């Protein structure tokens, strides 16, 4: 059967601004791959492992700031996209996920490589579309075009995220009659709008803001270039305003409290009222700090305003105190607010800054005497990683350690905190490195790296990619968080203790390998690791750290800070 509609699909998505498609080899999707290639308007990147391919596309979309297409064959291939699709949904990254399929009449009929693919991502997708398996009249042509137009638009509006196109293809698959430029392409476009708060509503909010003697602003995960820096700094000049920014918020203004976990450690119930704001204002994506979530839930501020333009998040109540949702982009509302509010007489900001400065001194005192561990490794890394690097932080421990160091604010930072899984952090960084203008360093733990080692099975790894693997012989996060370390099942079942290293994996994929076993060898290797590589390949630095000592050091660190 003719597959002319595949040319139409390629032309519409290209006309609507998609420039890159990550494809994985397969038979059922081969006609679509051929159509995409022959359109001449899409840059195709082939990655065999669909799970890695999904995260690679995620990293590309983060850097491009617009939709990237994914294309796989039928069956379990579609399921392998699921972790990246879920991450894109919760991190609000635009992906157009295209899964080849058999026609509906062959589902559940014992045919090979066939599963129920309609709505397969139902719980973490912006919208799903079931395309017709062929076009044989003008009505079908219109219907097909309309669905593809809507699918691309829904990856961006009303909030970015993944959208699924399930693409049934009838046999014979290779009876291709492709027209690279279909004659009548119907394009439906959307105009971007800026949601501003009406003046009447803004006046009421400003009156409440000016009346409050203490306000605390918390920024969650944000991409760079968010346009917030200037106006947030203006708000932060108010003595009644304290601003908390996480590493992943990419907000590095002076006067902001950047190391939240370090700052809030040791606040007692008796001290809590002095640090509780009248108004808590939040915006951005996921917040890493479990400590600050627990603290704010205990504080229960009288008012909690949350800025979010996504209807799915209008009732997001992380701190169990939500009183107002502001359906706007954060930069738009912050600009409106900062332009008209009046500073209040208060020592609220000074109280928080004094606490932050006191704990910074303790931070330095502790590290001056700390033995070699994960903590001292991160101290060295954040002092030595080049300033122009984009930093990708893996889950679970790397992102948490980064929250303790002011030096981490020197970098543009990314992390898969939508679902906070360990899968795909290296693949995401690889996609970002392939498309971005800056060198990329990903810091990952050993379990996350081994889980995602197929990220290196990739012909598109740029020489600027640097992978730092901290190998403490298992999932050390389970020695850090309270609870698991009290049970004998920790090592065999929870921590996944192992004796593997990455040397063979690096060699197999042609990646340059650097092993460090102590602080001295780490400091000695870093210049060569970040220098030009002889074979123009990426480089992997594996740092071996002691698991038990690292966990004990971090626990002692927080005890010392909070004492």
């Amino acid at each position: 059967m003719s597959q002319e509609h595949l040319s139409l699909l390629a032309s519409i998505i290209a006309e609507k601004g998609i420039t890159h498609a990550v494809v994985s080899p397969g038979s059922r999707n081969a006609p679509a791959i051929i159509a995409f290639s022959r359109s001449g308007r899409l840059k195709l990147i082939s990655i065999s492992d669909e799970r890695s391919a999904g995260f690679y596309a995620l990293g590309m979309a983060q850097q491009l700031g617009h939709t990237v297409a994914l294309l796989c064959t039928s069956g379990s291939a579609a399921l392998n996209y699921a972790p990246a699709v879920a991450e894109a949904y919760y991190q609000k990254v635009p992906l157009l996920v295209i899964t080849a399929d058999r026609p509906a009449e062959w589902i559940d009929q014992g045919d090979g490589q066939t599963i129920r693919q309609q709505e397969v991502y139902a719980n973490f997708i912006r919208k799903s579309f079931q395309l017709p398996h062929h076009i044989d009249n003008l009505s079908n042509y219109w219907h097909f075009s309309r669905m593809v137009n809507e699918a691309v638009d829904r990856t961006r509006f009303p909030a970015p995220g993944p959208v699924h196109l399930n693409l049934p293809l009838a046999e014979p698959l290779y009876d291709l009659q492709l027209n690279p430029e279909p004659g009548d392409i119907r394009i439906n476009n959307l105009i971007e709008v800026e949601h501003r708060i009406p003046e009447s509503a803004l006046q009421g909010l400003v009156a409440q803001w000016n009346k409050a003697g203490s306000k605390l602003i918390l920024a969650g995960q944000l991409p760079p270039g968010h346009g917030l820096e200037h106006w947030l700094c203006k708000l932060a000049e108010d003595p009644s305003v304290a601003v908390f920014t996480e590493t992943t918020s990419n907000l590095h203004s002076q006067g902001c409290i950047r190391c939240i976990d370090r700052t809030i450690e040791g606040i007692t119930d008796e001290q809590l009222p002095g640090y509780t704001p009248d108004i808590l204002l939040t915006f951005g994506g996921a917040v890493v700090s479990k400590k600050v979530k627990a603290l704010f839930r205990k504080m229960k501020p009288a008012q909690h305003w949350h800025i979010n333009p996504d209807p799915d998040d209008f009732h997001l109540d992380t701190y169990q105190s939500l009183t107002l949702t502001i359906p706007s982009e954060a930069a738009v509302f912050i600009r409106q607010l900062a332009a008209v509010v009046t500073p209040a007489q208060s020592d609220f900001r000074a109280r928080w800054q004094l606490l932050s400065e006191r704990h910074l001194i303790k931070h330095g005192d502790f590290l001056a005497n700390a033995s070699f561990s994960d903590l001292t490794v991160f101290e060295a890394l954040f002092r030595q990683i080049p300033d122009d690097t984009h930093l990708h932080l893996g889950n679970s421990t790397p992102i948490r350690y980064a929250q303790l160091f002011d030096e981490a604010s020197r970098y543009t930072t990314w992390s898969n905190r939508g679902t906070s899984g360990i899968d795909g952090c290296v693949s995401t960084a690889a996609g970002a490195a392939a498309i971005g203008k800056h060198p990329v360093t990903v810091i990952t733990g050993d379990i996350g790296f081994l889980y995602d080692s197929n990220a290196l099975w990739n012909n598109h790894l740029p020489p600027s990619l640097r992978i730092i693997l901290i190998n403490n012989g298992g999932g050390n996060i389970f020695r850090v968080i309270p609870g698991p370390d009290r049970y004998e099942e920790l090592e065999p079942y929870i921590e996944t203790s192992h004796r593997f290293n990455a040397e063979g994996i690096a060699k197999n994929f042609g990646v340059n390998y650097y092993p460090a076993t102590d602080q001295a060898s780490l400091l000695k290797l870093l210049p060569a690791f970040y220098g030009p590589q002889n074979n123009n390949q990426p480089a992997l630095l594996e740092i071996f750290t002691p698991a038990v000592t690292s966990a004990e050091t971090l626990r002692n660190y927080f005890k010392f800070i909070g004492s």
Side-chain angles (χ1 to χ4, degrees):
M1 181 175 288
S2 170
Q3 309 287 7
E4 290 182 85
H5 62 308
L6 298 180
S7 296
L8 180 60
L9 172 62
S11 295
I12 292 174
I13 67 174
E15 192 69 25
K16 291 183 74 69
I18 293 178
T19 56
H20 291 74
V22 178
V23 304
S24 295
S27 181
R28 185 62 49 172
N29 66 327
I33 292 176
I34 295 168
F36 281 18
S37 174
R38 295 193 179 182
S39 75
R41 303 178 66 184
L42 296 168
K43 182 175 181 180
L44 270 59
I45 296 170
S46 180
I47 296 178
S48 297
D49 184 320
E50 286 90 0
R51 187 174 69 184
S52 180
F55 282 104
Y56 190 95
L58 178 80
M60 292 177 65
Q62 288 172 339
Q63 297 300 312
L64 289 167
H66 62 73
T67 310
V68 170
L70 276 163
L71 173 61
C72 72
T73 192
S74 60
S76 60
L79 299 179
N80 288 330
Y81 277 163
V85 172
E87 180 63 33
Y89 177 80
Y90 287 104
Q91 205 180 130
K92 303 186 192 305
V93 176
L95 295 177
L96 184 66
V97 184
I98 306 170
T99 56
D101 197 3
R102 277 169 170 72
E105 63 266 23
W106 287 107
I107 306 303
D108 291 335
Q109 296 304 309
D111 215 4
Q113 204 169 325
T114 305
I115 65 172
R116 300 168 190 168
Q117 287 182 205
Q118 290 192 45
E119 304 284 349
V120 71
Y121 311 115
N123 288 326
F124 34 85
I125 202 81
R126 289 288 173 188
K127 192 166 182 177
S128 295
F129 297 85
Q130 178 76 4
L131 295 173
H133 70 268
H134 71 286
I135 296 175
D136 55 9
N137 58 54
L138 289 176
S139 181
N140 284 349
Y141 188 98
W142 165 80
H143 187 210
F144 184 94
S145 298
R146 181 181 63 75
M147 283 195 289
V148 176
N149 270 275
E150 183 182 352
V152 178
D153 288 338
R154 287 300 302 269
T155 65
R156 299 189 291 251
F157 306 105
V163 170
H164 180 209
L165 284 175
N166 196 47
L167 178 64
L169 295 173
E171 297 183 12
L173 294 174
Y174 298 98
D175 180 17
L176 298 178
Q177 299 176 25
L178 300 174
N179 181 359
E181 287 294 334
D184 182 21
I185 303 175
R186 181 180 293 274
I187 300 298
N188 303 329
N189 290 313
L190 294 179
I191 292 178
E192 293 192 43
V193 296
E194 188 176 80
H195 295 285
R196 294 175 59 84
I197 305 303
E199 193 62 32
S200 57
L202 182 64
Q203 288 178 4
L205 296 179
V206 169
Q208 294 179 61
W209 185 270
N210 289 340
K211 183 180 178 181
S214 57
K215 285 85 74 173
L216 194 152
I217 300 173
L218 173 64
Q221 184 170 20
L222 293 165
H226 39 57
L228 279 159
E229 206 88 28
H230 171 76
W231 295 103
L232 197 62
C233 283
K234 188 171 177 63
L235 280 178
E237 293 172 359
D238 184 339
S240 68
V241 175
V243 180
F244 284 11
T245 61
E246 292 218 308
T247 307
T248 54
S249 70
N250 290 300
L251 279 163
H252 309 311
S253 307
Q254 291 297 319
C256 295
I257 293 172
R258 296 188 288 263
C259 297
I260 303 173
D261 281 1
R262 190 182 73 200
T263 299
I264 66 178
E265 184 66 24
I267 294 178
T268 65
D269 289 346
E270 291 74 24
Q271 296 169 327
L272 199 61
Y275 294 104
T276 300
D278 297 324
I279 297 175
L280 171 65
L281 176 64
T282 59
F283 58 87
V287 170
V288 175
S289 174
K290 293 183 71 174
K291 292 178 182 289
V292 83
K293 291 173 188 174
L295 182 69
F296 286 174
R297 287 166 189 164
K298 187 185 290 187
M299 282 180 171
K300 297 198 178 300
Q303 294 191 66
H304 173 199
W305 302 356
H306 183 62
I307 312 170
N308 201 311
D310 185 353
D312 286 357
D313 291 338
F314 281 177
H315 295 90
L316 187 69
D317 194 6
T318 305
Y319 311 107
Q320 299 178 313
S321 301
L322 185 67
T323 56
L324 177 70
T325 296
I326 302 166
S328 167
E329 293 290 344
V332 174
F333 177 71
I334 294 291
R335 183 171 70 239
Q336 284 188 270
L337 184 68
V340 293
V341 293
T342 303
Q345 293 296 320
S346 172
D347 65 348
F348 187 69
R349 183 186 67 193
R351 228 175 297 152
W352 274 112
Q353 287 181 330
L354 180 63
L355 184 63
S356 177
E357 290 163 5
R358 189 185 307 143
H359 287 186
L360 174 60
I361 294 171
K362 287 189 172 185
H363 169 87
D365 291 343
F366 184 89
L367 282 167
N369 299 292
S371 57
F372 180 66
S373 62
D374 289 354
L375 186 67
T376 63
V377 163
F378 277 95
E379 179 190 27
L381 291 176
F382 291 139
R383 289 181 175 177
Q384 297 294 326
I385 294 173
D387 288 356
D388 64 340
T389 299
H390 276 216
L391 196 61
H392 282 248
L393 296 170
N395 295 307
S396 289
T397 53
I399 183 62
R400 288 179 167 85
Y401 275 104
Q403 300 274 92
L404 305 177
F405 293 90
D406 293 273
E407 293 86 350
S409 65
R410 295 190 292 126
Y411 310 105
T412 297
T413 305
W414 309 82
S415 186
N416 285 346
R417 293 302 297 180
T419 60
S420 307
I422 63 169
D423 45 352
C425 62
V426 179
S427 293
T428 304
I435 205 72
K437 299 177 181 178
H438 299 271
V440 168
T441 293
V442 54
I443 305 178
T444 179
D446 46 285
I447 302 300
F449 174 81
L450 292 170
Y451 201 74
D452 191 30
S453 58
N454 268 358
L456 304 186
W457 182 19
N458 186 323
N459 294 324
H460 310 279
L461 297 179
S464 62
L465 177 64
R466 294 293 180 271
I467 302 165
I468 297 177
L469 162 58
I470 299 176
N471 189 342
N472 48 37
N476 203 239
I477 186 66
F478 298 110
R479 291 185 179 273
V480 172
I481 59 177
D485 59 324
R486 294 188 284 113
Y487 294 89
E488 62 184 23
E489 287 83 2
L490 173 67
E491 287 195 19
Y493 303 119
I494 301 173
E495 185 188 35
T496 55
S497 179
H498 67 87
R499 295 184 180 180
F500 300 123
N501 64 62
E503 183 175 9
I505 296 173
K507 182 179 180 180
N508 189 52
F509 291 112
V511 173
N512 296 313
Y513 178 76
Y514 297 82
T517 55
D518 54 29
Q519 203 82 355
S521 61
L522 171 61
L523 295 175
K524 183 179 179 179
L525 284 172
L526 279 169
F529 173 68
Y530 276 106
Q533 304 298 302
N534 293 331
N535 57 0
N536 207 36
Q537 290 295 308
L540 187 154
L541 169 63
E542 185 167 22
I543 308 167
F544 296 90
T545 59
V548 175
T549 300
S550 291
E552 289 177 349
T553 300
L554 188 60
R555 280 195 294 268
N556 290 335
Y557 169 85
F558 279 116
K559 286 179 184 177
F560 182 77
I561 293 291
S563 63

